[in-house]
Amino acid sequence: MGSDVMPVEQLVLAAGHRSAELALPGLSLPLYPLKGYSLSVPIGAQHQAPNVSITDYDRKIVYARIGQQLRVAAMVDIVGFDARLEPKRLALMKRQALETFPRAGDYTRAVEWAGMRPATPTGVPLIGASAYRNLWLNLGHGALGFTLACGSGQLLAELIGQRVPSIDMQGLAPSAA
Ligand SMILES: Cc1cc2nc3c(=O)[nH]c(=O)nc-3n(C[C@H](O)[C@H](O)[C@H](O)COP(=O)(O)OP(=O)(O)OC[C@H]3O[C@@H](n4cnc5c(N)ncnc54)[C@H](O)[C@@H]3O)c2cc1C
């Protein structure tokens, strides 16, 4: 057996927006990367940052305090797999955050980041069995991957363990796969 072969009993495909590249023949995964940006703004003693999470629905920006940082997240860009930081997009986001919370933190030292949300056409994640007997899917959670992580893990464990799923699987079974 070659060193790159690892026998498994059950395998879960959970490689986010890159999962389609790893999919086996005949497995069609309707996934597309939706690019988003975030700024992590350091909060000093002199700053006044919100203590609760805030969603600005008009501008589609979310703010969450993480210790001594304000995490600002926004944007949905359809640009394929291009994960580069686009200065114009970041500048817009920074300007809007500054307008809303001018004294929340030191925006000049903000850490910039871009990432991909693994989205499906319907917004429903792919959780469950695939066309392969022991290959399972847990992907396509789009903008809610953190929120749905524990529930998705529990659901998948139930399915793999052949237990009754704790929620109705209607509409969740990845039939496209
Ligand atoms: C700006 C932004 C803000 C967000 N805010 C929120 C939020 O507030 N709340 C929320 O719930 N969700 C949020 N999300 C969405 C959340 O980040 C995703 O839904 C979540 O990360 C998806 O988790 P995942 O494990 O499926 O994929 P990923 O987090 O993308 O993880 C996939 C992993 O697979 C690895 N991988 C890929 N290909 C291979 C390979 N060939 N071999 C080995 N490893 C591989 C990658 O390195 C990565 O570690 C946000 C996303 C963005 C972009």
Side-chain angles (χ1 to χ4, degrees):
M1 185 187 301
S3 59
D4 55 350
V5 175
M6 185 188 294
V8 295
E9 289 178 16
Q10 308 291 339
L11 188 68
V12 178
L13 182 55
H17 70 284
R18 307 221 78 118
S19 297
E21 292 167 27
L22 296 174
L24 294 165
L27 204 60
S28 153
L29 299 178
L31 280 179
Y32 193 86
L34 296 181
K35 185 174 180 180
Y37 289 90
S38 79
L39 299 170
S40 297
V41 186
I43 304 169
Q46 72 279 26
H47 295 122
Q48 292 172 313
N51 284 314
V52 294
S53 296
I54 291 178
T55 299
D56 179 339
Y57 279 103
D58 285 345
R59 288 177 154 170
K60 299 188 173 52
I61 302 183
V62 294
Y63 299 86
R65 186 178 182 137
I66 307 172
Q68 289 308 111
Q69 291 184 82
L70 182 66
R71 175 71 49 83
V72 185
M75 312 280 180
V76 178
D77 291 354
I78 298 181
V79 291
F81 290 78
D82 182 358
R84 277 176 300 183
L85 294 170
E86 177 59 58
K88 276 190 189 160
R89 302 297 278 156
L90 285 158
L92 172 63
M93 203 173 139
K94 203 178 278 190
R95 180 165 54 74
Q96 291 182 327
L98 262 166
E99 282 170 10
T100 307
F101 292 114
R103 287 183 294 280
D106 183 353
Y107 288 89
T108 63
R109 293 198 298 125
V111 176
E112 300 168 340
W113 180 82
M116 300 291 184
R117 305 175 184 91
T120 64
T122 59
V124 178
L126 305 171
I127 305 170
S130 75
Y132 286 82
R133 161 184 71 75
N134 62 347
L135 177 66
W136 302 83
L137 308 178
N138 189 10
L139 35 95
H141 296 77
L144 290 174
F146 300 143
T147 312
L148 301 175
C150 296
S152 302
Q154 178 175 332
L155 188 58
L156 196 62
E158 289 164 352
L159 294 170
I160 294 173
Q162 299 185 337
R163 300 195 297 275
V164 178
S166 47
I167 62 167
D168 186 355
M169 285 296 292
Q170 179 92 30
L172 267 181
S175 54

